[in-house]
Amino acid sequence: MESSDYEAVLDDVEKLVRPVVGSGETASYIPALAAVDTSRFGMAVADTEGRVHGIGDWQEPFSVQSISKIYTLALVLAQDGEEIWRRVGREPSGNPFNSLVQLEYEDGIPRNPFINAGSLVVTDRLLTLTGDAYGSLRDFLRAESGDDRLGHSPVVAASEAEHGDRNAALAHFMASYGNLDNPVQEVLDHYFAQCAMEMSCRDLALATGFLARHGVRADGSRLLPVRAAKQINAVMLTCGAYDAAGEFAYRVGLPGKSGVGGGIVAVVPGKCTVCVWSPGIDRQGNSVAGVAALDAFTTLTGWSVF
């Protein structure tokens, strides 16, 4: 697709979704996110060569939240192979992203790496492998996006920590089953900092390009074997939109990962990555306008994995 074609598609997407921009609510249980303007909307597409096209607020940084879980998983798979799958599953949860229910039945093994419990296990492993889980994530995202200024918001991280009793409960529960190797508070500190990363649609579209390139980084080096990149894309498709992953696959038809900050990243393998941001989220934690925009994008382009 030529540059002008991308730009025309993005223009059409914005026109189609403009009526639903502002729908939904912000993540009020994280006070630092509660006041974000729900009328904001941005979208960016990065092709496999690193060319980026955007529309609206596509260069405005926002809190990535659970989108960060893609990259921590990738870094662990890159350094540790498939060992992490002994400690976390690959199945949809069917429950809210911060649910304790299934951990009780499944002996402290989270259903997948994209719910909070699963991401805590991945963060714990990355902390063991690198000594600095947050720093490893930050450095990777800076390299892939080409933006050395990227970092996290201490205000958002503190806000999450102050209201993070459920995440602490998840971590302590898993630790009681021996599924965390590091001190709970240390794991939580890194996890909250990772979720508090601030990036734009441009940054995220570029940073996720390794999944469209089947494991190859922006500099041409290989981060992951093709098999591991396929695994991440598969888990994104089945588990990336919390307990609405089936609806996301039905409407969008691409591997994707959402965050309660209103961002969603999606992958068109071999072609491009797409990031959309609009802060109004539904009860499952997915951006209302973001899902609509990706639905429109795949409908207009005919690109999906189905």
Side-chain angles (χ1 to χ4, degrees):
M1 187 183 289
E2 299 295 328
S3 294
S4 58
D5 296 326
Y6 279 115
E7 290 163 9
V9 168
L10 289 172
D11 284 338
D12 288 344
V13 168
E14 185 176 36
K15 290 172 186 173
L16 288 168
V17 304
R18 182 52 61 185
V20 298
V21 172
S23 301
E25 304 290 336
T26 55
S28 58
Y29 59 91
I30 302 174
L33 300 183
V36 180
D37 182 1
T38 58
S39 70
R40 306 298 293 275
F41 174 84
M43 190 170 184
V45 180
D47 66 20
T48 54
E49 300 299 317
R51 295 181 288 260
V52 193
H53 307 276
I55 198 163
D57 299 312
W58 69 291
Q59 298 196 72
E60 180 73 20
F62 60 90
S63 187
V64 306
Q65 293 298 309
S66 287
I67 297 174
S68 65
K69 296 171 183 176
I70 301 170
Y71 315 108
T72 54
L73 176 62
L75 291 172
V76 168
L77 288 171
Q79 296 186 51
D80 206 29
E82 298 191 19
E83 286 299 309
I84 192 64
W85 301 126
R86 298 176 182 271
R87 298 175 55 186
V88 62
R90 301 184 293 272
E91 296 293 336
S93 68
N95 285 310
F97 54 84
N98 60 357
S99 173
L100 282 155
V101 174
Q102 283 170 330
L103 284 176
E104 178 74 40
Y105 289 107
E106 296 174 358
D107 299 329
I109 304 295
R111 272 292 177 97
N112 67 70
F114 295 148
I115 55 175
N116 291 15
S119 185
L120 286 164
V121 171
V122 174
T123 296
D124 174 68
R125 186 60 187 154
L126 187 59
L127 183 56
T128 297
L129 290 168
T130 67
D132 185 358
Y134 163 69
S136 299
L137 171 70
R138 179 201 59 217
D139 293 347
F140 174 78
L141 293 173
R142 286 178 174 178
E144 295 307 290
S145 68
D147 187 348
D148 289 337
R149 300 167 298 174
L150 292 184
H152 78 295
S153 165
V155 173
V156 173
S159 182
E160 294 199 53
E162 289 167 10
H163 298 82
D165 291 339
R166 180 65 65 91
N167 286 317
L170 291 167
H172 282 291
F173 192 84
M174 291 187 294
S176 75
Y177 280 97
N179 204 15
L180 288 185
D181 295 328
N182 295 284
V184 165
Q185 190 56 55
E186 189 175 2
V187 174
L188 288 169
D189 288 344
H190 283 265
Y191 175 78
F192 291 139
Q194 289 167 355
C195 290
M197 283 293 299
E198 293 191 327
M199 300 174 68
S200 66
C201 292
R202 172 208 171 272
D203 298 329
L204 284 164
L206 287 170
T208 316
F210 71 96
L211 291 175
R213 293 186 293 267
H214 308 292
V216 175
R217 295 187 62 167
D219 64 2
S221 64
R222 180 163 289 282
L223 175 69
L224 296 168
V226 172
R227 173 182 170 84
K230 178 191 72 173
Q231 290 172 342
I232 295 177
N233 279 330
V235 179
M236 286 171 66
L237 180 68
T238 58
C239 307
Y242 307 122
D243 53 330
E247 178 70 11
F248 185 85
Y250 174 79
R251 292 185 62 185
V252 176
L254 293 173
K257 183 71 196 84
S258 60
V260 297
I264 308 175
V265 165
V267 179
V268 185
K271 292 186 180 294
C272 66
T273 51
V274 189
C275 181
V276 61
W277 171 58
S278 190
I281 59 175
D282 60 22
R283 283 190 288 180
Q284 284 76 36
N286 300 309
S287 170
V288 176
V291 174
L294 290 169
D295 184 356
F297 179 84
T298 55
T299 299
L300 291 169
T301 59
W303 291 348
S304 90
V305 297
F306 300 112

